[in-house]
Amino acid sequence: MEEFKVLEIKQSVFADNDRQADEMRRELKKKKVFLLNLMSSPGSGKTTTLSRTIEALRDEMKIGVMEADIDSDVDAREIEKFGAKVIQLHTGGMCHLDAEMTRQGLEGLDTQDVDLAILENVGNLVCPAEFDTGAVKNAMILSVPEGDDKPLKYPLIFQVCDVVLINKIDVLPYFDFDMEECRKNILIRNPKAKIIPICAKTGEGIEEWADWLRGQVKEWKS
Amino acid sequence: MEEFKVLEIKQSVFADNDRQADEMRRELKKKKVFLLNLMSSPGSGKTTTLSRTIEALRDEMKIGVMEADIDSDVDAREIEKFGAKVIQLHTGGMCHLDAEMTRQGLEGLDTQDVDLAILENVGNLVCPAEFDTGAVKNAMILSVPEGDDKPLKYPLIFQVCDVVLINKIDVLPYFDFDMEECRKNILIRNPKAKIIPICAKTGEGIEEWADWLRGQVKEWKS
């Protein structure tokens, strides 16, 4: 039906990263450290969500955060205020983290006493999705202003995520965002995805998210 | 002052792309085709802004659009309705376009009768900024919900852009977004950047943007 031309541009080949990622998960299991990889677009509210998550869980478990950023440390400064152990990872322009880079981060963080390690990946819906970081679970945030069609346009990240947080639901009245359409679009990509609408700013939905995460950490450490 | 550690992770080395980009600009000058590279985060309103831009300029010049997307054609379908010549570029997972990929796109589009060619780059604030596409000018969209701190966190894209459109100003009352702070943050990265607040949905500010673009095309073709 399309009248415009579709041109397939060649893809580059990535080095094998999956084996390293699997190996890291085995080590994390042995050390009883749960690693969550948190991905999203820039400005979707990763840091605020992370702050809320730390508030909800810090009395029950020791949390360590790796803040990956091109070269600023805005987010690490913010997260530090919430009392989590934090390390800033400068990716030197790199748009994602792979398993080896994540390993460098975990070593820098020192996970000796950490129950839950969270990697705040680079704000990007494309590249981070292509690299298994070795995390036990992948989570992503899609915010209302970004639109309900994003699962159609950035399919891979929705496929690899175990949970999708739909953030900024407080501004639903001001955007053409159809929550049911969005759920449908996510489930087309990933029928097993858990979907949790939240508002990190007001705290709405954070309890459900914290419950899910608490359950995952418990299961991993058992 | 920071109490968290800062770890520098190694950067990969990119192939030399600048020479190809310069060569392409020389060819475009000869052919009198103005190429605009439009970048932004996913969901910032690139496609809607583009539709408004076409509406504002289509009676004065022939416009051709290259829609780069991982693998969907949602945007090309939308743009086609506005009467521009359009080609969908599937990047096969690639997170950016370089000069060679853009050349493939321009050939596919066929710029024989085109005055203004617009590349809608992959939605990503990181990778597209690192590759000169051969465009005459770079533009980016930052939308209000993304936050006024983005120039601090994604410095390169602000450095390479000649113009920054601040979109979705209709929702300013619902977000903690300080326009003056945002301007300041952009100008730290790029003192020469032209900054135009717009609302693609309502059309506010589009005339100023169309004026700027009209002037650029005229200058390039003269």
Side-chain angles (χ1 to χ4, degrees), chain B residues 172-189:
Chain B
L172 271 169
Y174 314 114
F175 288 90
D176 302 325
F177 185 99
D178 183 329
M179 186 62 84
E180 275 321 297
E181 189 65 23
C182 187
R183 280 182 188 274
K184 213 178 68 188
N185 288 339
I186 294 169
L187 295 174
I188 289 170
R189 296 305 181 185

Side-chain angles (χ1 to χ4, degrees), chain A residues 32-181:
Chain A
K32 303 198 171 195
V33 177
F34 183 93
L35 173 61
L36 179 80
N37 174 26
L38 182 61
M39 298 179 282
S40 85
S41 211
S44 67
K46 277 195 299 305
T47 311
T48 311
T49 303
L50 205 41
S51 307
R52 289 283 180 180
T53 308
I54 295 166
E55 277 182 325
L57 296 172
R58 65 186 167 195
D59 295 337
E60 308 164 38
M61 57 183 85
K62 179 79 181 172
I63 304 172
V65 173
M66 295 177 283
E67 284 290 342
D69 237 319
I70 308 291
D71 86 351
S72 81
D73 50 22
V74 182
D75 293 338
R77 284 175 193 281
E78 186 58 31
I79 289 300
E80 201 178 32
K81 293 181 201 159
F82 287 83
K85 197 169 172 177
V86 62
I87 181 171
Q88 177 77 50
L89 309 182
H90 280 176
T91 62
M94 283 290 282
C95 49
H96 67 274
L97 276 92
D98 60 19
E100 172 49 33
M101 293 161 93
T102 305
R103 176 188 301 279
Q104 293 174 44
L106 285 168
E107 279 168 12
L109 182 67
D110 183 8
T111 54
Q112 199 77 17
D113 57 347
V114 167
D115 303 294
L116 167 62
I118 304 177
L119 170 65
E120 186 179 326
N121 215 314
V122 180
N124 183 333
L125 290 190
V126 186
C127 321
E130 293 169 1
F131 294 87
D132 189 341
T133 58
V136 183
K137 295 284 171 182
N138 289 322
M140 73 170 286
I141 303 174
L142 173 69
S143 66
V144 165
E146 293 169 60
D148 52 35
D149 63 341
K150 289 301 156 291
L152 305 176
K153 299 179 62 182
Y154 301 90
L156 187 61
I157 195 162
F158 290 89
Q159 282 165 35
V160 302
C161 278
D162 302 282
V163 55
V164 179
L165 304 176
I166 302 180
N167 193 20
K168 306 192 187 178
I169 55 171
D170 58 324
V171 295
L172 271 169
Y174 315 115
F175 288 90
D176 303 325
F177 185 99
D178 183 331
M179 186 62 82
E180 276 321 297
E181 189 65 22

Side-chain angles (χ1 to χ4, degrees), chain A residues 41-43 143-150 168 171 174-177, chain B residues 40-49 141-147 165-175 177 179 196-206:
Chain A
S41 211
S143 66
V144 165
E146 293 169 60
D148 52 35
D149 63 341
K150 289 301 156 291
K168 306 192 187 178
V171 295
Y174 315 115
F175 288 90
D176 303 325
F177 185 99
Chain B
S40 86
S41 211
S44 67
K46 277 196 300 303
T47 311
T48 311
T49 302
I141 303 175
L142 172 70
S143 66
V144 165
E146 294 169 60
L165 304 176
I166 302 181
N167 193 21
K168 306 191 186 179
I169 54 171
D170 58 326
V171 296
L172 271 169
Y174 314 114
F175 288 90
F177 185 99
M179 186 62 84
I196 309 176
I198 65 166
C199 175
K201 202 161 128 187
T202 64
E204 199 179 339
I206 293 294

Side-chain angles (χ1 to χ4, degrees), chain A residues 1-12 41-43 46-47 69-77 80 86-95 97 101 104-105 107-109 120 122-127 130 145-146 149-150 152-155 168 170-171 174-176 189 201, chain B residues 1-12 41-43 46-47 69-77 80 86-95 97 101 104-105 107-109 120 122-127 130 145-146 149-150 152-155 168 170-171 174-176 189 201:
Chain A
M1 287 294 290
E2 44 247 31
E3 279 156 34
F4 43 85
K5 268 200 277 183
V6 174
L7 185 69
E8 306 291 341
I9 293 183
K10 271 174 245 99
Q11 187 176 358
S12 61
S41 211
K46 277 195 299 305
T47 311
D69 237 319
I70 308 291
D71 86 351
S72 81
D73 50 22
V74 182
D75 293 338
R77 284 175 193 281
E80 201 178 32
V86 62
I87 181 171
Q88 177 77 50
L89 309 182
H90 280 176
T91 62
M94 283 290 282
C95 49
L97 276 92
M101 293 161 93
Q104 293 174 44
E107 279 168 12
L109 182 67
E120 186 179 326
V122 180
N124 183 333
L125 290 190
V126 186
C127 321
E130 293 169 1
E146 293 169 60
D149 63 341
K150 289 301 156 291
L152 305 176
K153 299 179 62 182
Y154 301 90
K168 306 192 187 178
D170 58 324
V171 295
Y174 315 115
F175 288 90
D176 303 325
R189 295 306 179 184
K201 202 162 128 187
Chain B
M1 285 298 288
E2 43 249 32
E3 279 155 36
F4 44 84
K5 269 199 276 182
V6 174
L7 185 70
E8 305 291 340
I9 293 182
K10 271 174 244 100
Q11 189 176 357
S12 60
S41 211
K46 277 196 300 303
T47 311
D69 237 319
I70 309 288
D71 85 352
S72 81
D73 51 21
V74 182
D75 293 338
R77 285 175 192 282
E80 201 178 32
V86 62
I87 181 171
Q88 177 76 51
L89 309 182
H90 279 176
T91 61
M94 284 291 283
C95 48
L97 276 91
M101 293 162 93
Q104 293 174 45
E107 279 168 12
L109 182 66
E120 186 181 325
V122 180
N124 184 333
L125 290 190
V126 186
C127 320
E130 293 169 359
E146 294 169 60
D149 63 341
K150 289 300 157 292
L152 304 177
K153 300 178 63 181
Y154 301 89
K168 306 191 186 179
D170 58 326
V171 296
Y174 314 114
F175 288 90
D176 302 325
R189 296 305 181 185
K201 202 161 128 187

Side-chain angles (χ1 to χ4, degrees), chain B residues 41-111:
Chain B
S41 211
S44 67
K46 277 196 300 303
T47 311
T48 311
T49 302
L50 206 40
S51 306
R52 289 285 180 179
T53 309
I54 295 165
E55 277 182 324
L57 296 173
R58 65 186 168 197
D59 294 338
E60 308 164 38
M61 55 184 87
K62 178 81 179 170
I63 303 172
V65 174
M66 296 177 282
E67 283 290 341
D69 237 319
I70 309 288
D71 85 352
S72 81
D73 51 21
V74 182
D75 293 338
R77 285 175 192 282
E78 187 57 31
I79 290 298
E80 201 178 32
K81 295 180 200 159
F82 287 83
K85 195 171 173 178
V86 62
I87 181 171
Q88 177 76 51
L89 309 182
H90 279 176
T91 61
M94 284 291 283
C95 48
H96 67 274
L97 276 91
D98 60 18
E100 171 49 32
M101 293 162 93
T102 305
R103 176 188 301 279
Q104 293 174 45
L106 285 167
E107 279 168 12
L109 182 66
D110 183 9
T111 55

